[in-house]
């Protein structure tokens, strides 16, 4: 079959294809990659420089946009602009922090309505599993959500309450019946209730309030229930490396479990978080340097499948930067625009390749939610493409980031790797679309 007239040709002496770096020429027609070795003409021809690498657009499956209801924290316009600037071409929005939360079909329609005209990248949606909405899970699944998020302890917002052990099991039985996916904020409520309360400006106090044993016990519970119910499960934002052996065992036993971690757990360590530096507060918390290195080993071993932002912004006042009180501050780190650079900066120093980073942040995340048409440069896939300069460095200035609020744990940190250009479906001006599962 002959190659059609092309809209875009990208000559890339360096490109990540099938996980390895090669030289290729990518041809795009009507938003789709139609060739990897094109000799045709095109409306637009781009020649990458020697310090640039063509990679697939990233797929971030853990983003809190917060609109409607808390749009002053972040909205679809600002979040998706920041994502695109950071080489992320698809996000999947979390069901909480917006009002109403996405726990029924009507709320999903509201969320889609506000996102439709604002998105700069493609947007999918998670549903929520909360007490009392068991009968809404299948309708949400049929309406196209990519799965269901639940908490096992207070979520931080009253309108998205946690599931009890009995409710969790019922939700997993229901979700397994239609082969859906449950994604879990895995921290055990009783363990945290028994821990010291997080007050004051010392980071050690906050860290002690969210012990790794809380994660370990919750993950063990999820694994046990997945074994009993057959429900597919995904562990969100893993910070406790102590849980890795049980997760590895579960995978070997055939339990359908996947695991993510986040840039902040891979970049920072508790020993270097200053007193009152509440911009570093997130839940579960950033742990010690030794724990961080074990998370990197979990990625190397394939026990951890994906790296996603858990972009969880808020207004400046909610971070309590004036008092530095970790007990009062909102927990969440905003990083959509700089996540690729943050992960690459650390990965390269540990001997990982850019292909590894693409696998964790694009290919595997796309596969997790069934978006096999993206997260890779391949014929027939969506032409979401990014020009990345892996050796270029910059210093983060929170005031200039496209996130709605200028609060960043990465402020004044020098990172390596810059996004130079981003195409969504082969266009640098194309608007984002709303996605549904399947």
């Amino acid at each position: 079959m002959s190659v059609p007239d092309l809209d875009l040709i990208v000559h890339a002496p360096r490109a990540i294809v099938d996980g390895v770096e090669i030289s290729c020429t990518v041809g795009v027609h009507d938003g789709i990659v139609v060739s990897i070795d094109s000799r045709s003409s095109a409306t637009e021809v781009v020649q990458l420089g020697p310090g640039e690498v063509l990679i697939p657009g990233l797929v971030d499956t853990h983003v809190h946009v917060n609109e409607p209801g808390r749009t002053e924290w972040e909205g679809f316009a600002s979040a998706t602009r920041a994502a695109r600037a950071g080489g992320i071409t698809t996000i999947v929005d979390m069901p909480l922090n917006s009002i109403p939360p996405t726990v029924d079909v009507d709320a999903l329609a509201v969320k889609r309505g506000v996102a439709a005209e604002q998105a700069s990248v493609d947007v999918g949606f998670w549903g929520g599993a909360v007490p009392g909405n068991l009968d809404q899970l299948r309708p949400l699944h049929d309406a196209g959500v990519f799965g269901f998020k639940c908490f096992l302890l207070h979520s931080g917002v009253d309108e998205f309450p946690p599931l009890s052990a009995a409710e969790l099991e019922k939700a997993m039985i229901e979700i397994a019946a239609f082969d859906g996916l449950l994604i879990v904020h895995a921290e055990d409520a009783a363990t945290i209730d028994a821990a010291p309360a997080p007050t004051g400006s010392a980071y050690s106090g906050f860290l002690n309030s969210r012990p790794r044993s809380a994660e370990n016990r919750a993950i063990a519970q999820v694994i046990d229930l997945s074994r009993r119910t057959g429900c597919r499960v995904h562990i969100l934002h893993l910070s406790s490396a102590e849980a890795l052996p049980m997760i590895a065992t579960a995978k070997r036993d055939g339990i359908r479990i996947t695991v993510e971690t986040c840039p902040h757990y891979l970049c920072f360590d508790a020993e270097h978080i200053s007193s009152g530096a509440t911009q570093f507060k997130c839940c579960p918390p950033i742990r010690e340097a030794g724990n961080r290195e074990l998370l990197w080993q979990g990625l190397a071993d394939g026990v951890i499948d994906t790296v996603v932002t858990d972009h969880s912004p808020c207004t400046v006042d909610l971070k309590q930067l004036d008092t530095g009180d970790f007990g009062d501050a909102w927990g969440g780190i905003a990083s959509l625009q700089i996540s690729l650079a943050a992960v690459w900066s650390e990965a390269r120093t540990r001997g990982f390749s850019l292909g590894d980073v693409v696998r964790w942040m694009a290919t595997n995340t796309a596969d997790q939610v069934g978006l096999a048409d993206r997260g890779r440069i391949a014929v027939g896939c969506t032409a979401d493409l990014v020009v990345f300069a892996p050796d270029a460095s910059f210093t983060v200035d929170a005031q200039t980031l496209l996130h709605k609020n200028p609060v960043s744990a990465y402020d004044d940190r020098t990172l390596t790797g810059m996004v130079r250009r981003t195409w969504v479906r082969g266009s640098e001006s194309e608007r984002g679309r709303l996605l549904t599962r399947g």
Side-chain angles (χ1 to χ4, degrees):
M1 185 176 72
S2 62
V3 176
D5 292 334
L6 303 179
D7 305 313
L8 171 68
I9 289 175
V10 182
H11 296 295
R14 302 171 63 191
I16 302 299
V17 177
D18 293 331
V20 297
E21 187 176 304
I22 67 169
S23 176
C24 67
T25 295
V26 176
V28 175
H29 176 70
D30 198 21
I32 303 295
V33 174
V34 295
S35 66
I36 303 292
D37 187 23
S38 175
R39 292 173 176 82
S40 300
S41 60
T43 303
E44 180 183 9
V45 178
V46 175
Q47 175 69 55
L48 267 60
E52 298 175 333
V53 183
L54 189 68
I55 65 172
L58 304 189
V59 178
D60 191 341
T61 56
H62 193 152
V63 179
H64 295 269
V65 176
N66 306 333
E67 187 177 13
R70 292 189 174 95
T71 310
E72 69 276 14
W73 294 18
E74 191 77 277
F76 282 101
S78 54
T80 57
R81 281 197 302 266
R84 191 165 185 150
I88 298 168
T89 52
T90 301
I91 66 169
V92 187
D93 173 62
M94 283 291 165
L96 73 155
N97 296 348
S98 58
I99 302 173
T102 316
V103 295
D104 55 42
V105 173
D106 289 343
L108 175 63
V110 171
K111 182 74 73 84
R112 283 177 166 160
V114 297
E117 298 303 318
Q118 301 188 72
S120 299
V121 300
D122 289 355
V123 180
F125 302 92
W126 296 106
V130 297
N133 85 325
L134 192 66
D135 63 345
Q136 288 295 315
L137 301 183
R138 187 181 289 267
L140 278 165
H141 177 78
D142 292 343
V145 300
F146 286 88
F148 304 91
K149 180 175 186 176
C150 71
F151 278 76
L152 306 184
L153 78 172
H154 195 280
S155 69
V157 291
D158 292 338
E159 67 273 6
F160 199 95
L163 297 178
S164 67
E167 290 165 336
L168 176 64
E169 182 170 11
K170 289 178 181 177
M172 291 176 77
I173 291 169
E174 174 67 9
I175 293 167
F178 50 78
D179 197 29
L181 174 65
L182 182 69
I183 63 175
V184 185
H185 182 122
E187 288 183 283
D188 179 67
T191 303
I192 289 179
D193 287 344
T199 58
S201 61
Y203 185 75
S204 59
F206 172 63
L207 186 59
N208 291 336
S209 77
R210 314 287 291 214
R212 68 192 73 208
S213 58
E215 277 192 89
N216 303 339
R217 289 170 183 166
I219 291 169
Q221 178 187 21
V222 171
I223 289 171
D224 178 62
L225 284 172
S226 178
R227 181 182 287 111
R228 286 158 48 188
T229 64
C231 183
R232 289 191 295 134
V233 293
H234 177 75
I235 302 300
L236 297 165
H237 43 50
L238 180 72
S239 84
S240 171
E242 285 183 357
L244 290 170
M246 79 171 95
I247 293 167
T249 298
K251 289 189 171 192
R252 287 195 297 268
D253 291 345
I255 292 172
R256 296 191 296 168
I257 182 171
T258 51
V259 184
E260 70 185 36
T261 193
C262 304
H264 39 276
Y265 302 130
L266 299 171
C267 293
F268 303 122
D269 62 79
E271 292 91 336
H272 289 91
I273 297 178
S274 301
S275 177
T278 53
Q279 65 268 32
F280 291 92
K281 180 179 177 179
C282 57
C283 300
I286 295 163
R287 303 193 188 277
E288 301 83 358
N291 181 88
R292 177 191 61 197
E293 297 312 308
L294 289 173
L295 292 177
W296 279 107
Q297 188 60 49
L299 283 165
D301 295 340
V303 180
I304 300 174
D305 302 275
T306 60
V307 180
V308 295
T309 59
D310 187 11
H311 178 75
S312 185
C314 66
T315 54
V316 175
D317 60 299
L318 290 178
K319 273 298 185 182
Q320 305 294 334
L321 296 171
D322 53 342
T323 66
D325 192 310
F326 279 96
D328 293 337
W330 173 260
I333 291 177
S335 62
L336 269 174
Q337 189 171 338
I338 52 178
S339 59
L340 172 57
V343 174
W344 170 239
S345 296
E346 297 295 318
R348 73 202 305 258
T349 67
R350 293 169 172 81
F352 293 103
S353 70
L354 186 55
D356 293 323
V357 174
V358 167
R359 184 174 70 255
W360 303 327
M361 302 184 77
T363 312
N364 287 1
T365 46
D367 289 348
Q368 178 203 340
V369 293
L371 292 172
D373 66 326
R374 58 196 69 205
R376 67 210 81 207
I377 299 174
V379 172
C381 285
T382 303
D384 294 339
L385 304 170
V386 172
V387 177
F388 186 63
D391 299 319
S393 296
F394 68 100
T395 300
V396 177
D397 179 356
Q399 296 293 329
T400 65
L401 295 176
L402 298 178
H403 309 149
K404 179 163 282 190
N405 289 283
V407 181
S408 175
Y410 297 88
D411 189 37
D412 207 34
R413 188 178 180 94
T414 298
L415 301 177
T416 302
M418 295 181 67
V419 172
R420 295 262 171 87
R421 302 180 73 168
T422 301
W423 290 274
V424 173
R425 287 183 302 282
S427 171
E428 292 183 280
S429 58
E430 178 79 6
R431 297 181 65 86
R433 299 179 184 176
L434 304 188
L435 305 176
T436 57
R437 175 193 45 78

